[in-house]
Amino acid sequence: MIDLHVHTWRCRHADGTAEEYVRAAAAHGVRTLAFTEHLPLPPELSARVPGAGGYAMPAEELPAYVAEVRAAAELGAQLGVEVLLGIEIDAVPDGFGHAAVLLGEHPFDMVLGSVHFIDDWAFDDPARTDGYDSWDLGALWERYFDDVIVAARSGLADVMAHADLVKKFCKRPDGPVDHLYASTAAALREAGVAIEVNTAGLRKPCREVYPAPGMLEALRREGVPATIGSDAHAPADVGAGAREAIAALREAGYRSVVVFRNRMAEEVGIDDL
């Protein structure tokens, strides 16, 4: 089993140390685990967004995070868990330069790209759901997927994480969204970016993995590689939903997933997970 998306206490909205996650991975049968802490936000964005201090690791802690993951890898070797050094970036256009500088400072195995902000609104924050009231949901979904495409084309990320996160609170347009799935899938293929089947949605109000079945099928038709992540914010969630993720991949027509090491994708058959 693989789990290529977990967070520790350093992101300020999760619990658990790197060591605790590795021990949980060993207990839950996860053989490859990627730590993907939230990259420090661009200072300009942090200054504009209320509560930004609770969304990502502070910049001064990035070296300590890398050192902790390296130490966790030593423990993992003893417990039969391969530990990879990953990071998750909030891929906002005015932060691309900031992210590129920080990514160049450390030898990450994998970079997740994600969209958590529409302008300065953290739309997936349960404390800020009132922001949906100011949007036509059709326009919001159009804007969100446009931002996902921009993020994929930035060249910063290896994988787009929870690519339809905008559905988290079940705020969906009345009309069809297949055109959004198709355009996003084509953009990811063109950008050479993989997709993550993220099981955190099973634990959220939408009660569905990210991405939705229709989107995952569109991605498979475009030949976009896929991987799996729990988006765990506590050690107990490591590997959570893996069976559902594999079932979703099979249903969409996938027969393999990818694992990133040194920013290079390596294919693994689903039967071998």
Side-chain angles (χ1 to χ4, degrees):
M1 189 190 308
I2 65 173
D3 188 344
L4 304 190
H5 189 163
V6 304
H7 296 281
T8 72
W9 68 274
R10 286 196 179 276
C11 73
R12 302 309 196 263
H13 58 275
D15 298 311
T17 65
E19 178 180 338
E20 290 170 332
Y21 276 83
V22 172
R23 293 190 183 282
H28 297 165
V30 173
R31 292 181 294 177
T32 300
L33 178 74
F35 287 91
T36 52
E37 204 54 89
H38 288 280
L39 189 77
L41 293 174
E44 299 83 358
L45 182 65
S46 294
R48 298 194 307 263
V49 174
Y55 293 148
M57 173 172 46
E60 62 271 17
E61 292 185 10
L62 183 55
Y65 161 68
V66 172
E68 285 176 359
V69 175
R70 292 302 188 213
E74 296 180 8
L75 174 62
Q78 299 173 24
L79 299 178
V81 179
E82 178 188 21
V83 173
L84 303 175
L85 175 63
I87 201 78
E88 180 178 2
I89 65 170
D90 286 283
V92 293
D94 61 356
F96 287 166
H98 165 83
V101 170
L102 295 183
L103 292 178
E105 293 177 352
H106 301 283
F108 293 107
D109 287 299
M110 180 181 69
V111 177
L112 297 178
S114 57
V115 175
H116 295 99
F117 297 93
I118 301 292
D119 297 323
D120 297 340
W121 171 41
F123 66 87
D124 71 321
D125 186 340
R128 291 175 169 78
T129 55
D130 57 341
Y132 288 91
D133 297 336
S134 63
W135 278 90
D136 169 82
L137 290 179
L140 175 62
W141 277 53
E142 294 275 356
R143 167 61 190 278
Y144 170 79
F145 282 101
D146 282 348
D147 286 0
V148 170
I149 289 171
V150 170
R153 288 174 173 165
S154 71
L156 294 171
D158 304 308
V159 183
M160 289 306 299
H162 41 63
D164 59 349
L165 182 62
V166 70
K167 75 183 180 189
K168 178 176 178 178
F169 298 111
C170 304
K171 305 290 188 179
R172 303 173 187 265
D174 292 330
V177 294
D178 288 348
H179 65 293
L180 299 176
Y181 296 161
S183 60
T184 304
L188 264 64
R189 173 185 56 77
E190 293 165 3
V193 177
I195 190 69
E196 173 200 57
V197 176
N198 180 305
T199 64
L202 297 169
R203 310 189 294 275
K204 304 303 180 184
C206 62
R207 294 289 187 260
E208 181 181 69
V209 299
Y210 309 110
M215 185 174 182
L216 193 57
E217 289 169 8
L219 290 155
R220 195 270 308 160
R221 287 195 297 270
E222 289 286 350
V224 176
T227 191
I228 298 172
S230 68
D231 206 347
H233 281 62
D237 290 331
V238 172
R243 284 179 294 183
E244 289 87 343
I246 291 171
L249 285 161
R250 289 189 187 281
E251 184 67 22
Y254 280 92
R255 296 296 176 262
S256 64
V257 296
V258 290
V259 175
F260 284 83
R261 300 177 180 91
N262 298 315
R263 307 291 304 272
M264 298 295 292
E266 300 179 24
E267 193 171 8
V268 179
I270 287 178
D271 291 340
D272 297 325
L273 293 177

